[in-house]
Amino acid sequence: MKVTRIAYSARLNPGKYAALVEQACRLGRVRSEVWQRYGSVAGVGSGLRDRQVRDRWLADGTHALFGVLANAWKETVRDAMADIAANLEAAKVEVRRAISRRTSDAAERKRMFGALKADQWAGDPFLARQMRKHWKRGHNRTHDQIVVRADNYNTIVDGRGRLWLSIPGLEPRRMVRIPLSTTVAPTGTLRLILRGGRVEVHYQIDSAQMRSSQRPCGDQRVGVDKGYTEALTDSDGQPHGEQLGVLLTSESDRLKERNRRRAKLRSIANTAALRGDHGKAQRIKTNNLGTVKRDRQAARHRARVRTEIFTAVHEVVDKASTVIAEDLTKRFTARKKLPKNINRRLAAWTKGVTAEALKSVSERRGSALVPVNAAYTSQTCHHCGDFGRRSGDRLHCTPCGWCGRPT
């Protein structure tokens, strides 16, 4: 199993960042060209792979328009073609469901499935109509990424222990050196994402290489309940990730106050623009309504939340060989309307991250994850199995007399 790791640049020179931005913009035009030619119904019948596209562009001189090195635009073509293929396969999933609903004839169904798999659906009215419905024409909006091949960069540690990443620039044999905030050198194909004056270096490693994957799991059978105030509560009544609710609540309340102030400033800027004072409006938008600081704060919050949740899951797996967790993928309708503050805070509940952590950690450490239907799990006593009386986060079981948090 592969996992993604992210390294960040540290105190990057503004001139280097500007050069990377220019390179990413030019590669964005390469992505746009790929999506324009092959990301629509007209490009489906070509049957071209990324290598064939690259050979064709080298032959007709299209590559000379990009203004980037050969390895850079070739890797971008490969990445864009992979995105188109994934986008197309996602649409085919919905079309297969439509085929199953349309006919029960095994021969007709097999014919349609075969035509869909071979990308020969354009001549079939039903398949063409369904594909146009579920596969919208793609447009590239990625102009901030650089894909670097595994053999096209190098890393070095200087005398002060800092790790530097050197990648090709816009000119041949001219590398751009990026200082990283980590001492672990990235490996494999790199994806550089430029955000707010900082470079994010995304790369994949084998999960077996991670130190946490070497930790053995426990030998118990444990049920867990995903919560808001704490990440998980196991069947022994022990909470894990008790700071999750504090993190989510404080961040939600902070965003409420900050967005209220930003709305007021935006109103002042709009009023100034209507009066003709465009200078004041522009100063407010430039100095008070930017997104760089906001995005960095959001990234730090997401990192803290993920750390809290993954730490909680590791604590559960430390004692469990089998983890039984409720499946919260289905939506439940509330019986009563909740206050605005509670709805706002619950909207930030990261149950998806908790499900991801349970799946990832269980697979890496050899523990079995068993999902169960979430219906009535919060009203069932795990001691005797009878229904109890739920009051807030406490369950009172009348038949056996148990009282505590449900799991």
Side-chain angles (χ1 to χ4, degrees):
M1 187 176 82
K2 296 290 186 179
V3 294
T4 301
R5 285 291 175 262
I6 305 176
Y8 297 92
S9 63
R11 297 183 296 276
L12 182 63
N13 184 290
K16 292 182 180 180
Y17 184 78
L20 293 173
V21 169
E22 176 62 24
Q23 183 176 355
C25 288
R26 296 185 185 184
L27 292 175
R29 291 194 286 270
V30 177
R31 290 180 182 274
S32 298
E33 187 69 18
V34 174
W35 276 96
Q36 176 67 24
R37 296 192 184 189
Y38 307 105
S40 63
V41 175
V44 172
S46 63
L48 295 178
R49 303 296 181 184
D50 59 288
R51 289 183 178 274
Q52 296 170 310
V53 172
R54 292 183 304 189
D55 294 342
R56 178 175 292 187
W57 285 5
L58 285 170
D60 62 15
T62 303
H63 69 287
L65 305 175
F66 300 143
V68 293
L69 299 182
N71 285 331
W73 71 261
K74 288 179 181 179
E75 283 300 300
T76 302
V77 169
R78 180 193 60 78
D79 191 59
M81 292 294 287
D83 288 341
I84 292 174
N87 187 266
L88 180 62
E89 291 302 318
K92 287 182 179 179
V93 172
E94 299 298 328
V95 177
R96 290 190 187 98
R97 293 173 181 168
I99 292 174
S100 299
R101 291 192 299 266
R102 176 181 176 84
T103 178
S104 58
D105 184 12
E108 178 66 7
R109 187 178 294 181
K110 182 178 180 180
R111 182 193 68 79
M112 289 192 194
F113 284 155
L116 191 65
K117 183 177 181 179
D119 286 331
Q120 297 175 354
W121 44 263
D124 187 293
F126 174 76
L127 294 180
R129 186 168 64 252
Q130 288 296 321
M131 284 300 297
R132 284 182 171 85
K133 175 181 177 182
H134 296 288
W135 189 39
K136 307 299 181 182
R137 179 179 179 86
H139 297 279
N140 172 57
R141 295 179 177 84
T142 302
H143 299 275
D144 59 354
Q145 295 187 16
I146 303 173
V147 181
V148 186
R149 205 171 60 195
D151 61 347
N152 214 23
Y153 66 89
N154 57 72
T155 56
I156 188 173
V157 179
D158 63 12
R160 291 186 289 180
R162 291 185 303 177
L163 179 65
W164 292 78
L165 171 68
S166 299
I167 67 167
L170 290 174
E171 300 178 10
R173 295 177 295 280
R174 292 292 299 272
M175 306 290 281
V176 179
R177 298 181 66 206
I178 304 172
L180 300 180
S181 60
T182 180
T183 58
V184 180
T187 58
T189 300
L190 306 183
R191 183 184 302 274
L192 276 62
I193 302 179
L194 313 179
R195 288 195 181 114
R198 186 171 63 170
V199 180
E200 299 178 5
V201 183
H202 296 240
Y203 62 99
Q204 288 188 331
I205 62 172
D206 191 349
S207 60
Q209 300 175 4
M210 302 174 61
R211 286 184 298 176
S212 61
S213 299
Q214 310 301 325
R215 293 165 55 181
C217 64
D219 55 2
Q220 302 180 31
R221 185 180 176 90
V222 176
V224 293
D225 180 33
K226 304 169 189 175
Y228 177 89
T229 54
E230 61 281 320
L232 296 170
T233 302
D234 61 31
S235 51
D236 297 330
Q238 181 180 357
H240 304 274
E242 297 178 80
Q243 294 301 312
L244 177 63
V246 176
L247 287 173
L248 296 179
T249 299
S250 60
E251 179 69 5
S252 178
D253 293 345
R254 187 187 68 82
L255 288 177
K256 174 187 176 183
E257 181 62 21
R258 189 196 64 186
N259 291 335
R260 183 185 65 82
R261 294 177 179 177
R262 285 174 66 95
K264 185 175 181 180
L265 288 171
R266 189 176 294 107
S267 176
I268 295 174
N270 293 338
T271 303
L274 291 175
R275 292 200 312 264
D277 192 352
H278 298 287
K280 179 178 180 179
Q282 186 59 39
R283 286 193 299 273
I284 292 176
K285 292 179 180 179
T286 302
N287 300 320
N288 303 103
L289 296 178
T291 60
V292 174
K293 182 178 179 181
R294 182 191 67 183
D295 293 343
R296 287 187 176 179
Q297 289 176 340
R300 285 197 296 269
H301 170 69
R302 288 194 298 268
R304 286 195 294 266
V305 169
R306 288 182 67 88
T307 299
E308 185 72 17
I309 292 175
F310 271 81
T311 301
V313 174
H314 275 292
E315 291 176 359
V316 172
V317 177
D318 281 339
K319 67 177 186 178
S321 60
T322 302
V323 180
I324 303 173
E326 54 188 353
D327 182 7
L328 296 182
T329 56
K330 295 182 179 180
R331 299 182 61 183
F332 298 91
T333 56
R335 292 185 178 180
K336 59 181 180 180
K337 188 175 180 180
L338 299 175
K340 289 191 296 184
N341 275 343
I342 295 180
N343 279 331
R344 172 171 48 80
R345 291 170 181 174
L346 287 177
W349 183 26
T350 53
K351 61 180 181 180
V353 180
T354 306
E356 175 195 348
L358 284 167
K359 183 176 183 297
S360 173
V361 175
S362 297
E363 288 182 0
R364 288 194 279 114
R365 296 184 56 186
S367 177
L369 177 64
V370 180
V372 297
N373 192 340
Y376 305 106
T377 54
S378 297
Q379 303 175 34
T380 304
C381 176
H382 68 276
H383 282 271
C384 65
D386 288 334
F387 283 105
R389 179 174 173 271
R390 179 74 181 265
S391 177
D393 62 350
R394 310 292 293 181
L395 177 69
H396 304 269
C397 182
T398 304
C400 72
W402 183 83
C403 177
R405 290 184 176 182
T407 55

